[in-house]
Amino acid sequence: MIAGAIVTKGDASVKIKLQLAACLVAASLGSVPALANDRRPNILIVLFDDVGFTDFGAYGSNSRTPNIDGLARRGAKLSRYYTSPFCGPSRAMLVTGMDNHQTGMGTLVETVKPELRGLPGYTMTWNGRQKTIGSLLSSAGYRTYVTGKWGIGETGANLPNKFGFQRSYVMDATGGSNYDRKPYLPGYDKVHWFEDGKPIELPADYYSSRSLVDKMIQYIDSGDNKKPFLAFLSLQAVHIPVQAPTKYINAYNGTFDKGWDAMRAERHQRAISLGLVPASTKLAPVPSTHRAWSSLSSEQRALAARKMQVNAGMMEAADFHIGRLLQHLRATGALDNTIVVVTSDNGPESAETEFAGLANVAVDAVKLVEGFDTLPGNLGQPDSLTAIGPEWAAVSASPFNLYKFYASEGGLRVPLVVAGPGIAPQGVVGAPVHVTDLVPTLLQAAKVDYDPASFYGRSALPMLTGGSTSTYGESESFGFEVSGNAALYRGKWKITRNFPPRGDGQWRLYDISVDPGETRDMSAANQPLFNSMKAEYAAYAKRVGVVELGPEDSAFKELTNKLISKALHKYWPYLLGLGLALVAFGYLLFRTVRLAARPKAA
């Protein structure tokens, strides 16, 4: 059974001495090896990439996730778990228990303004004193492993082997192909992979979900089984490029033919019926740039439905391989003593791979140069570049507003399932939990002494074990900020600000106990509360090191500028060749016209 209180240093010292004495006596009698009675729980963290609030089966998804759903049935599924809307900051908070600015990860490397890089909240690199859940548990006698996407700050600067993870097999990038080291962003040459800090190539038969689980099983099996383990499985699913074996994709033939408008409404009602949101929840209008399903041609509908099939197939494939890991732990007798945490780093991705006009010409040129095949029949295959786009992202985030990158509920609120020894099988847990709460929660579960003041988050273990109903009081708050998009929560209230292209930079106030869809701005009717919460946000921002930005400093603007710069640097030979070809063509056309215009000889 998990202890419900933090062990003090004095108690821990006495306890360790007693344990050692007991082990020596047992060893002398020949009954058990020394330290074999270390029954502190193993910890398995499974982190999905860009999974929306209703993307697990237990949360109302159209995807089949039986293994995750099984964990939800025997543990807790949280309906108010909040994380950053950007992947790198989220991951920094998840492994440190500190606000992203407190660890120098104020935003993504790709979206940070150059002039901010010298400030403490935006260094994008960690010093050697940075503690992580890996270093804290390793010091406490745990085996510590991570496989999958790392993507925290400057590439190669903050690798997990430097910060307490004894074995690591990681992609240090925002994303990449699920079959090889091919990047998905224009202008990049390759995706960087490392094992134990050393650059590596991927095996020829690599597929992300299968291979990352295989590597984790290898690490766990090769370690000292007398010691408990921390296993951080950081999946690539379902980040761009969305890819899955064909058998998983075809299993969803016809599933998404109703289209995104109808299916967003269905998930809204399903979330209500599952008790994840109140019956008063309404859907916010989608942005005007979203296409109505009825406006699409039959060919466009078929293509759009197929993209979401790939997404669902990738989700089911990931769940299948999670099941393999759970079954392996069951077969070795470790599962009953393993706390399993399954969640997402942020809301669903809304990016697109098809555009209109000249933008599409440029994108098609990049696809041609990079060897991407985006024909409908190739969606989800190794050389494909598939993304679900904003309309389907609104389905994944339903019943909430917007998606990844924004401080709306759709960007911040994601699923969280926790199961294992000591976790009460309590179904839906509606009290708020912040991503930084996970580190102190798991340290307390592991009976590791820590200073609560050293974290931005706090332990939610008493709530998860059924000893309390909440982690935060009605008057207590927590905040988020990345690239100007920001939110502060206090009890049932939330203030939020979103920058363009989907926001206007204005603060708004919502009562999310009745309106989690963020459809009714309550600031005018509650001006004193609104002002109080804005002042509290300002105090939070000062405390953690936020630099206030304006709408003109949009993350999208910064990202676009950097991608254009990288693309020009990489593709300039092609552009030069194209320019020379156009000049040659123009010259030949000129000569042809001149020759044709000459008078013929008599």
Side-chain angles (χ1 to χ4, degrees):
M1 192 69 175
I2 298 172
I6 301 168
V7 178
T8 65
K9 291 181 180 179
D11 290 342
S13 176
V14 173
K15 188 173 182 181
I16 290 170
K17 290 177 182 178
L18 291 173
Q19 287 178 334
L20 289 173
C23 289
L24 289 171
V25 171
S28 67
L29 295 174
S31 57
V32 292
L35 298 180
N37 63 339
D38 188 345
R39 293 295 295 166
R40 291 179 296 170
N42 304 308
I43 297 169
L44 169 61
I45 302 171
V46 180
L47 183 65
F48 277 83
D49 202 328
D50 296 351
V51 163
F53 183 72
T54 52
D55 271 343
F56 293 162
Y59 284 74
S61 177
N62 303 89
S63 305
R64 289 179 284 273
T65 57
N67 293 293
I68 296 171
D69 300 350
L71 292 168
R73 283 191 298 272
R74 67 182 181 90
K77 59 178 181 179
L78 278 70
S79 62
R80 284 195 63 193
Y81 170 71
Y82 295 103
T83 184
S84 166
F86 284 31
C87 62
S90 288
R91 292 160 188 273
M93 289 194 280
L94 185 147
V95 300
T96 66
M98 299 173 70
D99 183 86
N100 52 302
H101 303 84
Q102 292 174 317
T103 69
M105 305 296 136
T107 185
L108 296 174
V109 169
E110 292 80 5
T111 59
V112 65
K113 295 183 66 176
E115 55 266 37
L116 297 183
R117 290 295 292 267
L119 300 177
Y122 303 86
T123 61
M124 300 296 132
T125 59
W126 283 342
N127 61 46
R129 297 184 302 277
Q130 179 59 59
K131 294 180 180 179
T132 71
I133 190 170
S135 61
L136 292 166
L137 286 179
S138 180
S139 296
Y142 270 70
R143 297 175 280 152
T144 53
Y145 312 127
V146 56
T147 64
K149 175 177 169 177
W150 186 249
I152 300 175
E154 201 70 63
T155 301
N158 308 316
L159 292 176
N161 62 292
K162 301 177 183 178
F163 298 97
F165 287 89
Q166 297 155 11
R167 299 301 312 272
S168 58
Y169 185 88
V170 296
M171 173 181 71
D172 201 20
T174 60
S177 171
N178 294 276
Y179 291 97
D180 52 37
R181 294 178 63 191
K182 193 171 188 175
Y184 75 103
L185 290 171
Y188 286 75
D189 293 317
K190 62 183 178 181
V191 173
H192 296 275
W193 278 86
F194 301 87
E195 184 164 24
D196 300 333
K198 298 177 182 178
I200 58 168
E201 298 294 331
L202 294 177
D205 64 343
Y206 179 83
Y207 176 68
S208 62
S209 295
R210 170 177 47 78
S211 299
L212 295 175
V213 166
D214 286 347
K215 182 62 73 168
M216 184 59 75
I217 290 173
Q218 175 191 328
Y219 284 167
I220 292 172
D221 284 357
S222 61
D224 182 355
N225 63 12
K226 297 188 183 78
K227 296 181 179 181
F229 64 75
L230 163 68
F232 179 20
L233 174 63
S234 184
L235 298 167
Q236 291 178 243
V238 286
H239 193 281
I240 296 175
V242 185
Q243 296 166 316
T246 304
K247 67 175 182 178
Y248 289 105
I249 301 171
N250 290 342
Y252 291 91
N253 285 343
T255 301
F256 300 97
D257 290 354
K258 283 188 269 188
W260 42 62
D261 297 324
M263 300 190 80
R264 181 176 184 238
E266 286 180 356
R267 290 213 189 173
H268 167 218
Q269 292 303 318
R270 210 172 294 147
I272 292 174
S273 66
L274 289 169
L276 296 166
V277 294
S280 57
T281 303
K282 290 181 172 57
L283 288 174
V286 296
S288 60
T289 52
H290 283 207
R291 298 166 295 169
W293 187 258
S294 60
S295 71
L296 272 57
S297 67
S298 58
E299 291 79 10
Q300 289 174 319
R301 291 182 188 182
L303 177 61
R306 185 71 177 179
K307 288 181 179 180
M308 199 58 168
Q309 282 185 239
V310 178
N311 189 78
M314 190 177 191
M315 181 75 70
E316 184 175 346
D319 180 85
F320 170 80
H321 292 293
I322 292 168
R324 286 199 304 113
L325 176 55
L326 296 177
Q327 181 55 41
H328 181 78
L329 295 178
R330 183 178 291 111
T332 59
L335 185 61
D336 287 344
N337 193 38
T338 300
I339 295 174
V340 184
V341 177
V342 186
T343 189
S344 175
D345 63 347
N346 45 244
E349 173 65 74
S350 64
E352 301 179 78
T353 55
E354 288 89 25
F355 300 87
L358 289 176
N360 201 53
V361 173
V363 171
D364 283 346
V366 170
K367 292 175 184 176
L368 179 65
V369 170
E370 298 290 357
F372 285 117
D373 182 350
T374 56
L375 293 174
N378 194 57
L379 294 183
Q381 302 311 298
D383 56 352
S384 65
L385 183 62
T386 305
I388 63 174
E391 296 90 354
W392 284 125
V395 175
S396 292
S398 182
F400 303 139
N401 185 35
L402 297 178
Y403 20 67
K404 179 180 176 179
F405 287 115
Y406 297 101
S408 60
E409 292 297 278
L412 296 172
R413 201 191 299 203
V414 296
L416 174 68
V417 172
V418 186
I423 305 301
Q426 51 191 309
V428 176
V429 175
V433 171
H434 189 283
V435 59
T436 57
D437 296 340
L438 293 181
V439 170
T441 298
L442 295 173
L443 289 178
Q444 186 176 359
K447 304 178 180 66
V448 175
D449 184 23
Y450 69 90
D451 176 11
S454 63
F455 299 113
Y456 182 79
R458 60 181 64 174
S459 176
L461 189 65
M463 184 178 72
L464 293 173
T465 58
S468 70
T469 58
S470 64
T471 302
Y472 293 87
E474 288 298 308
S475 62
E476 294 181 302
S477 69
F478 56 74
F480 292 97
E481 193 278 342
V482 279
S483 293
N485 296 338
L488 182 101
Y489 294 86
R490 184 199 290 172
K492 68 177 185 177
W493 296 101
K494 172 190 181 182
I495 58 169
T496 185
R497 176 186 66 194
N498 288 302
F499 280 175
R502 300 288 190 239
D504 58 8
Q506 300 301 308
W507 285 103
R508 288 175 172 82
L509 172 70
Y510 298 105
D511 178 353
I512 54 174
S513 69
V514 294
D515 182 31
E518 297 172 309
T519 63
R520 298 185 301 279
D521 179 7
M522 304 292 290
S523 57
N526 297 272
Q527 199 67 45
L529 172 65
F530 185 47
N531 291 337
S532 170
M533 291 188 69
K534 285 196 296 182
E536 195 164 3
Y537 171 80
Y540 151 79
K542 182 178 180 180
R543 171 189 168 192
V544 301
V546 174
V547 174
E548 283 297 313
L549 303 176
E552 70 281 359
D553 297 316
S554 161
F556 288 92
K557 178 181 176 181
E558 196 66 37
L559 176 61
T560 299
N561 290 340
K562 287 186 178 178
L563 290 181
I564 290 174
S565 175
K566 278 187 167 292
L568 290 174
H569 180 76
K570 182 176 181 180
Y571 304 130
W572 72 263
Y574 299 97
L575 295 172
L576 178 62
L578 177 62
L580 292 173
L582 289 173
V583 169
F585 176 77
Y587 176 74
L588 290 173
L589 182 63
F590 170 75
R591 293 286 298 171
T592 300
V593 171
R594 285 199 62 183
L595 287 172
R598 285 182 181 178
K600 295 181 180 179

